Amino acid sequence: MRHVGILAHSTEGAALCFLSYCQEGFRRLGRHDHPDVTLDYIAFGRSMPAWDAGDHDAVRATLAVSVSRLARAGADFFACPDNTAHLALERPGDDLALPGLHIAEVVADQAERDGRRRVGVLGTAYTMDGPVYPRALGARGIEAVVPDEDDRRLVNEIIFAELVNGVFSDSSRQAYLRVIEKLAARGCDAVALVCTEIPLLVTPEVAPLPTLDSTRLLASAAYEVATGERALPSWRGGPVAGNAHLSGTVSLSFS
């Protein structure tokens, strides 16, 4: 079995991915068993000045250090349970030390398998306003729909004030459910939870739409790579427009 390296960039999402990965092994291999896993985490706060400045190259450089450390630890590939980080990982630069799964590709593949046509996107402002999900979903003929400006601001504020700090309040849950209800009213047939902490706040049982849980989908894909059920990824960072799945039309709706 292959050894996965979890490239952490925020605490709660990385912890959930690690736990979900191990639990996948327990379900499939038996009690206490799973493929080898190593997690590397350079504190999220060290990258925040670069995020605030829009310096994605600096963030990529920090993430590349973690990937190199995972390679030295014996990992065969990496999985990064942080959707926003993929804006930086997609920046041009030297190949990363390991190949990695691309979280948006994993989520978009599941949306396609589910037959989705119009998917709401909830994440950080960087992710909701960025190109990663419109491209990944659009390549599969799926429209990416984001909340209106006020709701995007609300979703982002809750992420950074609460979720990444391990705070999951009922008031914030109700606020997110109202945002999802609006997306449903705009014709969305699913909602992608593409900040990896959101699935800890919004569960399938309470969500007004079917959910695409980016954290657990990535953990499951990583497990399948580790056990040989899925091919070893070839992406080593940088632009992904050459990927066959990314050749379609980008569609992003604010309406």
Side-chain angles (χ1 to χ4, degrees):
M1 289 188 284
R2 298 186 180 109
H3 179 169
V4 62
I6 294 179
L7 172 58
H9 192 52
S10 62
T11 307
E12 297 293 330
L16 177 59
C17 185
F18 174 82
L19 180 61
S20 299
Y21 178 84
C22 294
Q23 289 174 336
E24 194 77 12
F26 302 158
R27 283 193 294 270
R28 300 202 201 185
L29 298 177
R31 190 178 182 189
H32 305 314
D33 200 6
H34 55 76
D36 290 350
V37 54
T38 297
L39 185 149
D40 192 87
Y41 184 19
I42 296 173
F44 182 53
R46 299 181 198 171
S47 293
M48 278 309 300
W51 282 117
D52 290 340
D55 188 355
H56 295 175
D57 290 330
V59 178
R60 188 189 198 275
T62 298
L63 294 170
V65 171
S66 275
V67 177
S68 295
R69 297 197 307 210
L70 289 169
R72 292 197 297 272
D76 297 300
F77 69 102
F78 76 85
C80 180
D82 189 295
N83 291 274
T84 302
H86 284 68
L87 290 166
L89 291 171
E90 287 188 5
R91 291 289 301 160
D94 294 339
D95 282 355
L96 299 172
L98 292 171
L101 289 166
H102 191 294
I103 195 169
E105 294 296 291
V106 171
V107 172
D109 280 345
Q110 186 63 52
E112 184 177 41
R113 286 192 294 270
D114 292 344
R116 305 303 179 194
R117 304 307 303 163
R118 187 171 167 90
V119 173
V121 175
L122 290 190
T124 67
Y126 307 108
T127 300
M128 289 186 290
D129 293 339
V132 171
Y133 275 92
R135 185 185 56 235
L137 291 166
R140 294 156 176 83
I142 302 168
E143 185 178 7
V145 181
V146 297
D148 63 32
E149 184 176 357
D150 288 342
D151 283 346
R152 293 201 303 278
R153 185 180 304 111
L154 173 66
V155 168
N156 186 72
E157 287 174 355
I158 289 172
I159 288 170
F160 284 102
E162 299 181 16
L163 305 191
V164 298
N165 298 307
V167 177
F168 304 96
S169 67
D170 187 62
S171 61
S172 291
R173 180 177 296 106
Q174 294 306 316
Y176 270 48
L177 296 184
R178 287 191 291 271
V179 172
I180 297 171
E181 287 171 352
K182 292 180 185 178
L183 291 170
R186 291 165 58 191
C188 291
D189 53 16
V191 60
L193 308 180
V194 296
C195 165
T196 49
E197 285 80 17
I198 295 177
L200 292 165
L201 185 71
V202 177
T203 60
E205 300 79 42
V206 301
L209 285 171
T211 59
L212 292 159
D213 179 341
S214 63
T215 319
R216 292 184 175 92
L217 288 172
L218 181 66
S220 180
Y223 177 87
E224 291 172 356
V225 173
T227 56
E229 301 169 54
R230 181 187 290 246
L232 189 71
S234 58
W235 178 61
R236 287 179 177 262
V240 289
N243 187 298
H245 284 302
L246 298 174
S247 59
T249 302
V250 172
S251 179
L252 175 62
S253 175
F254 291 89
S255 61

